[in-house]
């Protein structure tokens, strides 16, 4: 009965969140990444970032700055559908993560499967 009361779009969102979380866990094990706003900007300036993930409660100015740098370096940006606490937990960390830069996905296929928001605008 409880499953019937759920909204149809809610199941799809949670399924997508599980998918990105599992791919993120694989990146943390086998790939190369940096955590943090300043580190993400550095990797964008160097041109080594393949994908940037931003939490949904990041400050708007910070989001805009990272999206601008990503546009210049032709890097994908994914708006994570969760807070910075959720993103930190998905990364396997015990602290909040607002910005995550993936430099090498390792065994994960997160770069091909993550819905990139910058292309849809």
């Amino acid at each position: 009965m409880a499953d019937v009361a759920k909204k149809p779009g809610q199941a799809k969102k949670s399924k997508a969140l599980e998918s990105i979380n599992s791919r993120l866990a694989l990146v943390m094990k086998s790939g190369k990444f940096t955590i943090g706003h300043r580190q993400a900007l550095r990797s964008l300036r160097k041109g080594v970032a393949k994908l940037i993930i931003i939490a949904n409660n990041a400050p708007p100015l910070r989001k805009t700055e990272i999206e601008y740098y990503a546009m210049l370096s032709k890097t994908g940006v994914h708006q994570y559908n969760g807070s910075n606490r959720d993103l930190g937990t998905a990364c396997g960390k015990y602290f909040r993560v607002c910005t995550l830069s993936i430099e090498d996905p390792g065994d994960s296929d997160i770069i091909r499967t993550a819905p990139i928001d910058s292309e849809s605008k």
Side-chain angles (χ1 to χ4, degrees):
M1 287 280 192
D3 292 336
V4 177
K6 284 186 179 180
K7 297 176 188 170
Q10 191 71 16
K12 190 174 183 180
K13 280 186 180 179
S14 71
K15 193 76 151 173
L17 192 60
E18 284 178 23
S19 171
I20 194 88
N21 285 350
S22 62
R23 288 184 171 90
L24 207 50
L26 194 56
V27 168
M28 296 299 137
K29 279 188 164 195
S30 64
K32 188 171 181 186
F33 62 94
T34 57
I35 291 175
H37 176 69
R38 289 178 60 196
Q39 296 296 326
L41 288 178
R42 281 183 191 158
S43 66
L44 282 170
R45 274 190 238 119
K46 287 180 185 177
V48 295
K50 304 277 193 288
L51 178 69
I52 304 289
I53 299 177
I54 304 174
N56 70 351
N57 64 341
L61 185 63
R62 194 172 278 194
K63 274 186 191 178
T64 307
E65 183 181 16
I66 288 192
E67 287 170 350
Y68 177 71
Y69 274 94
M71 180 206 51
L72 291 177
S73 66
K74 296 182 178 73
T75 303
V77 176
H78 175 70
Q79 301 287 331
Y80 186 75
N81 194 16
S83 67
N84 52 5
R85 286 185 180 190
D86 299 335
L87 185 55
T89 304
C91 293
K93 306 297 180 191
Y94 295 109
F95 48 84
R96 295 173 290 196
V97 174
C98 197
T99 309
L100 174 75
S101 169
I102 298 174
E103 297 173 3
D104 178 34
D107 298 332
S108 177
D109 61 343
I110 193 167
I111 293 176
R112 287 187 298 265
T113 58
I116 298 172
D117 295 336
S118 61
E119 291 178 0
S120 63
K121 289 183 181 177

